[in-house]
Amino acid sequence: MASSSTTMRFSAASTGAEAALPRRSSVAGFIGVAARSSAKSRLRFIGRNANLSLRMRRMSSFSVVKCVSGSEAKVQDTVAKQQEATTSLSSFTPDASSIASSIKYHAEFTPLFSPENFDLPQAFLATAQSVRDSLIINWNATYDYYEKLNVKQAYYLSMEFLQGRALLNAIGNLELTGPYAEALSKLGHKLESVAYQEPDAALGNGGLGRLASCFLDSLATLNYPAWGYGLRYKYGLFKQRITKDGQEEVAEDWLEMGNPWEIIRNDVSYPVKFYGKVVSGSDGKKHWIGGEDIKAVAHDVPIPGYKTKTTINLRLWSTKAASEEFDLSAFNAGRHTEASEALANAEKICYILYPGDEPIEGKILRLKQQYTLCSASLQDIIARFERRSGANVNWEEFPEKVAVQMNDTHPTLCIPELMRILIDVKGLNWKDAWNITQRTVAYTNHTVLPEALEKWSLDLMQKLLPRHIEIIEMIDEELVRTIIAEYGTENSDLLEKKLKEMRILENVELTAEFADILVKSKEAIDIPSEEQQSSEQAEAEDEKDDDEVEAVAKKNGTDESSIEDEKEELPEPVPEPPKLVRMANLCVVGGHAVNGVAEIHSEIVKDDVFNAFYKLWPEKFQNKTNGVTPRRWIRFCNPDLSKIITEWIGTEDWVLNTGKLAELRKFVDNEDLQVQWREAKRSNKVKVAAFIREKTGYSVSPDAMFDIQVKRIHEYKRQLMNIFGIVYRYKKMKEMSAAEREANFVPRVCIFGGKAFATYVQAKRIVKFITDVGATVNHDPEIGDLLKVVFVPDYNVSVAEMLIPASELSQHISTAGMEASGTSNMKFAMNGCILIGTLDGANVEIREEVGADNFFLFGAKAHEIAGLRKERAEGKFVPDPRFEEVKEFVRSGVFGSYNYDELMGSLEGNEGFGRADYFLVGKDFPSYIECQEKVDEAYRDQTKWTRMSILNTAGSYKFSSDRTIHEYAREIWNIEPVQLP
């Protein structure tokens, strides 16, 4: 376990070969021995070029500083000396020559590969390590300063951080893109080619993880004191392959060549326990003993801010068992699997993101992941708080120094875990611990889908986390007490309804104390008057007489019904509903703030998802519309467009102050700007056309409209409606002559991307269907370049960074009211792409900002959805003939022999699981294809289209994650920016 009396620092000398790095005095001799042949494929370390990396090591090798309790003067003195050293070094701006020397140094002395070659993969690793040196210096300076000031920090806990490639982002934020490009050119490589070697960090899946990463970028850029906490997944979610059978999943290999950005912190580890039992000690405290013990080990990734020295930390936990858990005697006896069982059980916790949870083993693994994240992170946070507090720890100050944000329900166990530590380990009473917990923790809701509002089996959680269930039961009792106090006992039906809706424990009987209150409440309502009592008594006597007559008849065998009664079977017992823990309810109860992520979503959260809680605690509920970082999502991924924006606005300040993007509106009709705008877009489309050829083998024309829908494959996101629209388009083309096709349709390249969860069968059918349509359409000589359908395999951040700048139309067509926010819609708009979509999530606010004329709107509205589903259930829905035409066309076999009955069946019928078109594809389809006709019409007028594109970029200013983070910092976390000296 990490000592709470240790200031942990990054050190370039703390990993691998660097640990044995000689000091400067002995470098010359070492270099002489190490010198190699100057053959073209080798790098030779030159002593006179070594000083940058060596200076960095000498200045940044304050690896561990011991802080003795009560010796504050010593701490301050140490911090001052370190700051003096790091400030001296950070004031040095590397040039191309010193950077080239640094890269050479790492290629020679910190290789993760054989030293014989300096090919692109090796060049990337050496370059990344060179950049990391600069990040480490800034990281140390950042946290030294936070330590000195003892400022309040925000801690962002998320199961996902979808970082993408880090190299170009890091050198861009450091303002070193030019010098690094020049340095690599000196060494025989192009920066773009080197950067392309970096694998995407496989730490997320979709918008949840990408948002978390945008937030870290903004936190660092805006100089907010903060940390990110997550898990280090060895094999990620999965790598997607597209075959003739559809999607196939294989393990990610992102760590096979090592991760040059991370610093493994073997000195920072914490115990995490599962199973066991709870006993009461002689001191009256509860003790959780026995069970399975593992260790969570920290891996730190520095996150640089843009044009600032502030560099914050993303701490990722890996899991392992202690060495003594390896059963040596069993191994030597040949029982190898048994010998390493404890090690394997520990390590597999961080193997993959979202392991399949249909089997009980998958559920256990997911719950272990969530608890590991919460327990290790909180132990780390508390250790830091205690170290800063010195000898006199005042726990009342904990919420004044710590803000914990739970990104969705996955980190919910933070609440009972913080309670456990405060009560069982630190000795606080329940009242104080509960007060501290509620003031510390806040919750972001990301979904209205019932399956995503996690519910865990009470029995499973009781076995795995017995102490936490005790605490959750007590929190539930506190909640029940609050509900009774709020609603009283006069109206028992209302009270019962509120308890059923709001309790954390579902299908769990009330304790005797509260059950008696509810019974008495009902009895008070049911007490009859004297007149009713007399009437009921008379009726009872009549029934008694009838029963006696019937009994005599049965005895004598004269009752005709007795024979039938003997044959009558007893009714089957109704199975008891499962006892569950509702994690979202626990989040709302245990935290001081609950926020949605778009205006419409936050209203749904208040009016529907958590309406009862909103009525009880309206002050808890807020909106924080999502945002994306303009650094990665326009400045670095779309340099051509960024240059144009800077030229016309007259400053590059828009990268930090996106409000300046609105100034583009002044030039929207300028012909020169429009020409430049179209040229930048076409240049990006040419790159994507080459990428598509490389990845899929399909050739597409950069002169066609690029129509893109890239996101997680899910029925509510309605990729099925998109491909149905394409099928309709294709069918109409086939019914026309060549001349008619040219006249009626704008050429389109329809691009899909996204992963279907491995066990989500219907989503995988959709992927298969899209690829089958593409295989048919793309090989149809009559259609040619008028229509292409492409599914880009293994969609990730790096693919997005290529596709989004080239996009002209982007589809955000989820069933209204089902998408919490979306963030890809913001990225597309920021890059001058026009959206087609429903009034769902952040689409509503994007349309308001860019203007209704610059957004293609269709479909039912959120408040209409429930009524439309009811209409369907009653059999009143009449599908549009065009929708039926498409289904019939698909069933004709034109797209191959695969049986799509299950997929088509989901759109048919009026009721039943997986039936009745729950996501209203059929209802919105006519509106959708009519809207697509408007898209074609607008695209034919390129002046009008370019104007719409410019206004989308100009109106995207609101959707910067910088704005979102300012709101979180001010209204939830109560933290202030800290500018480094």
Side-chain angles (χ1 to χ4, degrees), residues 101-146:
S101 300
S102 176
I103 295 171
K104 288 180 182 182
Y105 174 88
H106 283 290
E108 189 76 17
F109 289 101
T110 59
L112 297 170
F113 48 85
S114 173
E116 278 74 25
N117 296 305
F118 190 65
D119 296 331
L120 283 171
Q122 292 88 338
F124 160 67
L125 290 167
T127 302
Q129 288 165 329
S130 165
V131 176
R132 193 186 72 173
D133 287 346
S134 295
L135 299 184
I136 288 172
I137 294 164
N138 289 343
W139 188 96
N140 281 336
T142 299
Y143 284 105
D144 283 344
Y145 197 56
Y146 294 168

Side-chain angles (χ1 to χ4, degrees), residues 468-517:
H468 296 77
I469 282 298
E470 290 185 350
I471 292 168
I472 290 170
E473 287 173 342
M474 293 177 72
I475 295 172
D476 187 61
E477 287 182 21
E478 290 271 352
L479 175 62
V480 170
R481 196 171 285 110
T482 301
I483 294 169
I484 292 173
E486 177 69 19
Y487 293 100
T489 57
E490 291 78 13
N491 188 337
S492 62
D493 289 340
L494 174 63
L495 180 59
E496 197 165 12
K497 177 175 177 283
K498 292 295 180 183
L499 289 170
K500 186 175 180 180
E501 184 179 356
M502 299 174 71
R503 283 188 66 194
I504 296 163
L505 300 178
E506 184 175 345
N507 303 320
V508 176
E509 291 183 4
L510 289 165
T511 60
E513 173 192 354
F514 300 120
D516 288 346
I517 292 174

Side-chain angles (χ1 to χ4, degrees), residues 323-553:
S323 299
E324 55 264 28
E325 295 291 335
F326 180 73
D327 191 337
L328 196 59
S329 60
F331 191 86
N332 287 330
R335 302 193 306 276
H336 298 161
T337 302
E338 177 190 335
S340 58
E341 184 178 7
L343 279 66
N345 283 338
E347 290 173 5
K348 73 181 180 183
I349 292 171
C350 290
Y351 271 176
I352 69 169
L353 170 65
Y354 303 139
D357 62 352
E358 287 186 5
I360 187 65
E361 294 82 3
K363 290 181 173 67
I364 292 170
L365 196 55
R366 280 209 190 188
L367 194 53
K368 281 185 171 183
Q369 287 183 334
Q370 294 186 6
Y371 179 61
T372 298
L373 170 63
C374 295
S375 181
S377 302
L378 282 171
Q379 289 182 70
D380 196 43
I381 292 165
I382 287 170
R384 189 171 302 111
F385 171 75
E386 289 183 311
R387 184 185 68 243
R388 291 182 176 185
S389 299
N392 301 311
V393 178
N394 181 357
W395 289 104
E396 273 297 309
E397 293 180 356
F398 189 75
E400 306 304 321
K401 298 297 181 183
V402 172
V404 173
Q405 188 70 34
M406 301 182 295
N407 193 28
D408 217 348
T409 53
H410 307 126
T412 305
L413 288 168
C414 279
I415 293 165
E417 175 65 359
L418 182 53
M419 291 290 289
R420 182 191 71 83
I421 295 172
L422 291 175
I423 295 171
D424 297 353
V425 181
K426 304 303 176 184
L428 274 68
N429 62 45
W430 175 273
K431 181 181 177 182
D432 290 343
W434 184 232
N435 177 265
I436 290 166
T437 298
Q438 285 189 305
R439 289 164 54 210
T440 300
V441 175
Y443 161 55
T444 299
N445 173 272
H446 282 278
T447 184
V448 299
L449 295 176
E451 65 267 25
L453 293 171
E454 292 183 296
K455 296 181 181 182
W456 283 102
S457 160
L458 179 65
D459 291 340
L460 171 60
M461 194 176 282
Q462 203 147 24
K463 291 174 186 174
L464 196 69
L465 302 168
R467 179 57 177 141
H468 296 77
I469 282 298
E470 290 185 350
I471 292 168
I472 290 170
E473 287 173 342
M474 293 177 72
I475 295 172
D476 187 61
E477 287 182 21
E478 290 271 352
L479 175 62
V480 170
R481 196 171 285 110
T482 301
I483 294 169
I484 292 173
E486 177 69 19
Y487 293 100
T489 57
E490 291 78 13
N491 188 337
S492 62
D493 289 340
L494 174 63
L495 180 59
E496 197 165 12
K497 177 175 177 283
K498 292 295 180 183
L499 289 170
K500 186 175 180 180
E501 184 179 356
M502 299 174 71
R503 283 188 66 194
I504 296 163
L505 300 178
E506 184 175 345
N507 303 320
V508 176
E509 291 183 4
L510 289 165
T511 60
E513 173 192 354
F514 300 120
D516 288 346
I517 292 174
L518 200 58
V519 168
K520 287 176 182 175
S521 174
K522 288 187 173 182
E523 287 175 349
I525 293 172
D526 294 340
I527 293 173
S529 64
E530 289 183 12
E531 192 175 313
Q532 286 175 317
Q533 286 179 356
S534 300
S535 173
E536 288 169 4
Q537 188 174 355
E539 287 177 12
E541 287 176 359
D542 289 342
E543 287 176 8
K544 182 180 177 183
D545 292 340
D546 291 341
D547 290 344
E548 287 175 356
V549 171
E550 189 176 339
V552 171

Side-chain angles (χ1 to χ4, degrees), residues 665 809 833-839 842-858 861 931 934-935 938 944-945 947-949 951-952 955 959:
R665 290 170 177 158
L809 180 75
C833 178
I834 300 158
L835 309 187
I836 178 171
T838 53
L839 284 177
N843 283 2
V844 178
E845 292 162 77
I846 291 172
R847 184 169 177 264
E848 288 172 358
E849 297 299 333
V850 305
D853 293 340
N854 305 304
F855 185 106
F856 294 105
L857 177 68
F858 75 95
K861 297 176 175 61
C931 192
K934 295 176 184 176
V935 171
K944 176 183 178 181
W945 188 271
R947 188 179 194 278
M948 295 170 72
S949 174
L951 289 173
N952 265 266
F959 304 102

Side-chain angles (χ1 to χ4, degrees), residues 621-640:
F621 289 81
Q622 303 184 20
N623 174 59
K624 297 287 172 281
T625 298
N626 283 344
V628 299
T629 167
R631 272 73 63 185
R632 182 180 287 271
W633 290 111
I634 181 167
R635 175 62 183 84
F636 301 145
C637 77
N638 200 345
D640 291 346

